[in-house]
Amino acid sequence: MTDILTLVFRTLSSQTGQNKDPSAGPPPPAPHSNTLVVGEHRLSRSVLLLAAVTAASELGVRVAFFAQTQIQSLPECLQRCSKITFSYPRTLEELLQQVASLHEFPCPPSLIIIDRLDGFLRGAVASSHAGFHSGDESRAAHLAALLCDTAAFLTEVLEKRGSSSAPCRTIASFLSDADSGQESRDPSAMDPILDVLDRYFQARCTLDQDRSYEAAAAAAQEAWHVYLSGTKIPDDLEDGPTLAQEWKLFIFPEGLMEFKLV
Amino acid sequence: MRTFLPAVAEQLFRDIQKIYEETTQIPDDLLIALKFVFGTCALQALDLVDQRSVTCLSSPSGRKAFQVIGGSGRLYTCFLSCHYCPCPAFTYTVLRRNQGLLCKHILAVYLCQAMAVTQQESISDQQMSAVLSGTGGP
């Protein structure tokens, strides 16, 4: 999936003074990687939407986009795009059912996007001191494994049909407790749900806001660091090329987004 | 199932498959290797294999999943391409403590596949969706 993200970043990179050589920098991992986007929701949703549009328009693949909350201001071009299907399951159970039933579709998607996994996984009982409860580790693993298995199955289907849309990829966003700014949480503690998700998502895209003066220097409203990395894999497992890319994202007052490869 | 296994485990299953095809038995050295690699769940998994507890469900779309009848009689659904089991041992030992590669149910699936003793069952696409989502089963 990071190949699609890299395509998004290159498409939106500056036209001047930017090396657009596809061979620049380390190669992205095998395209069948599942990618987890971690960071602030406002930006991660934009990244997911850009990925959906890029995949549908540049690669011509079908996209299944799942979100818990309806996207209120969907651009008209997206509303009219027949290659992207938006679904709004309200609960984890509904999401599991909808992902599990993708194999029933005659024209399966090549890209499955889930916006805000944390929203679906968060326990039903509100708690003032913890976002997740012990049972959520199993639920997180179930959802992630279902995504993984569904993508693997749909890849086989697409390859058997000789479709150029193969393989099927997944990308999901997750707002960890650290990113949500839970002050009561020990900042040195790892997020157990993120640990579980890392087992099933081979690559990670981390969005980290730059709070220095770099945005102002670029006459931008916001500046972000975007890191593409591979999650840890046991030493004796066969793995692909190591992924390590860094991009800089500038967001200008009129909403324009510009990526630069670092 | 593919991926998520260390090379030593994959080789072990290949060895078991080969020897079982020839002799319909697993020799002591491979049993010892199983215990060494997978710990205490190896014997428990072999019990499940003996009881023919593993079924491969398939539906008209081609989608497949495994169901394992646990020691208590409860059904556990496992996937083909990655490790997941809804049992407490997988959640605690594998996910939370990171002290094991898999639980006895997933190991039983690997062993049944290697020994070609997996039961087969066909279900509808809708039933398969219910099984995969954990909302139902055959």
Side-chain angles (χ1 to χ4, degrees):
Chain A
M1 179 47 221
T2 47
D3 59 330
I4 293 182
L5 285 179
T6 307
L7 180 58
V8 170
F9 303 157
R10 288 206 175 104
T11 302
L12 294 176
S13 65
S14 169
Q15 294 294 336
T16 57
Q18 178 71 30
N19 183 1
K20 295 176 79 68
D21 180 359
S23 64
H32 53 265
S33 293
N34 301 317
T35 302
L36 192 65
V37 178
V38 179
E40 195 197 299
H41 167 242
R42 180 173 52 87
L43 182 62
S44 64
R45 173 172 268 195
S46 300
V47 170
L48 297 187
L49 285 170
L50 284 172
V53 170
T54 303
S57 60
E58 302 283 328
L59 303 178
V61 303
R62 291 184 178 276
V63 181
F65 194 112
F66 297 93
Q68 200 170 26
T69 55
Q70 187 140 7
I71 303 171
Q72 297 296 333
S73 55
L74 205 57
E76 195 178 330
C77 60
L78 279 182
Q79 293 177 34
R80 285 188 279 111
C81 180
S82 61
K83 285 194 178 293
I84 306 177
T85 305
F86 289 91
S87 302
Y88 301 105
R90 291 165 299 171
T91 63
L92 174 63
E93 288 67 34
E94 284 185 23
L95 176 62
L96 286 169
Q97 286 165 3
Q98 291 183 22
V99 172
S101 65
L102 285 176
H103 71 107
E104 300 181 42
F105 286 35
C107 297
S110 294
L111 176 59
I112 304 170
I113 296 180
I114 315 280
D115 182 30
R116 288 292 301 273
L117 278 180
D118 51 286
F120 289 106
L121 294 171
R122 207 168 293 276
V125 177
S127 169
S128 60
H129 61 274
F132 290 102
H133 304 270
S134 58
D136 289 324
E137 286 160 320
S138 182
R139 285 193 283 272
H142 183 193
L143 178 57
L146 179 60
L147 283 169
C148 199
D149 197 63
T150 300
F153 170 73
L154 294 181
T155 295
E156 277 185 28
V157 169
L158 292 166
E159 285 176 347
K160 274 185 195 158
R161 295 180 185 178
S163 169
S164 58
S165 302
C168 179
R169 310 157 171 90
T170 62
I171 175 172
S173 67
F174 181 82
L175 185 68
S176 68
D177 285 346
D179 293 319
S180 65
Q182 289 203 12
E183 294 181 359
S184 58
R185 189 177 170 278
D186 177 2
S188 65
M190 296 296 292
D191 187 326
I193 302 302
L194 200 49
D195 280 347
V196 169
L197 295 176
D198 277 346
R199 291 176 174 270
Y200 301 96
F201 288 88
Q202 295 86 9
R204 187 187 287 193
C205 174
T206 305
L207 309 172
D208 186 28
Q209 188 161 12
D210 186 309
R211 303 199 186 271
S212 67
Y213 295 104
E214 193 157 359
Q221 197 166 33
E222 294 175 21
W224 291 77
H225 298 278
V226 181
Y227 304 100
L228 292 176
S229 57
T231 53
K232 59 184 178 197
I233 299 171
D235 289 340
D236 53 351
L237 276 184
E238 183 185 344
D239 55 346
T242 303
L243 172 64
Q245 280 188 24
E246 183 178 347
W247 294 76
K248 200 64 75 67
L249 165 62
F250 295 101
I251 301 176
F252 296 91
E254 57 274 17
L256 183 68
M257 296 170 81
E258 183 181 296
F259 290 88
K260 283 187 179 173
L261 181 64
V262 175
Chain B
M1 277 190 274
R2 53 184 183 275
T3 70
F4 292 84
L5 269 185
V8 63
E10 287 193 340
Q11 184 59 50
L12 184 51
F13 291 131
R14 279 195 292 269
D15 291 344
I16 288 173
Q17 180 178 7
K18 185 166 183 295
I19 200 81
Y20 196 81
E21 271 175 10
E22 296 166 3
T23 67
T24 67
Q25 282 188 336
I26 301 178
D28 287 347
D29 60 329
L30 290 183
L31 289 174
I32 291 170
L34 262 179
K35 179 112 182 359
F36 182 76
V37 173
F38 295 107
T40 53
C41 75
L43 290 178
Q44 297 166 332
L46 287 166
D47 279 343
L48 293 177
V49 173
D50 283 343
Q51 292 155 27
R52 297 295 189 262
S53 300
V54 177
T55 301
C56 179
L57 304 175
S58 57
S59 73
S61 70
R63 192 73 195 267
K64 290 181 176 8
F66 292 103
Q67 275 196 332
V68 185
I69 305 172
S72 59
R74 190 175 164 181
L75 270 180
Y76 297 102
T77 299
C78 304
F79 296 123
L80 261 72
S81 63
C82 55
H83 290 170
Y84 168 72
C85 183
C87 75
F90 183 81
T91 300
Y92 185 72
T93 307
V94 178
L95 295 181
R96 191 173 298 175
R97 300 291 300 271
N98 201 26
Q99 286 181 345
L101 282 172
L102 34 75
C103 63
K104 64 183 179 184
H105 307 108
I106 299 175
L107 181 53
V109 171
Y110 275 115
L111 288 170
C112 281
Q113 289 289 89
M115 297 159 64
V117 294
T118 309
Q119 313 277 1
Q120 305 288 330
E121 184 175 339
S122 296
I123 57 176
S124 69
D125 284 339
Q126 291 74 25
Q127 284 177 310
M128 177 61 76
S129 299
V131 166
L132 294 170
S133 63
T135 56

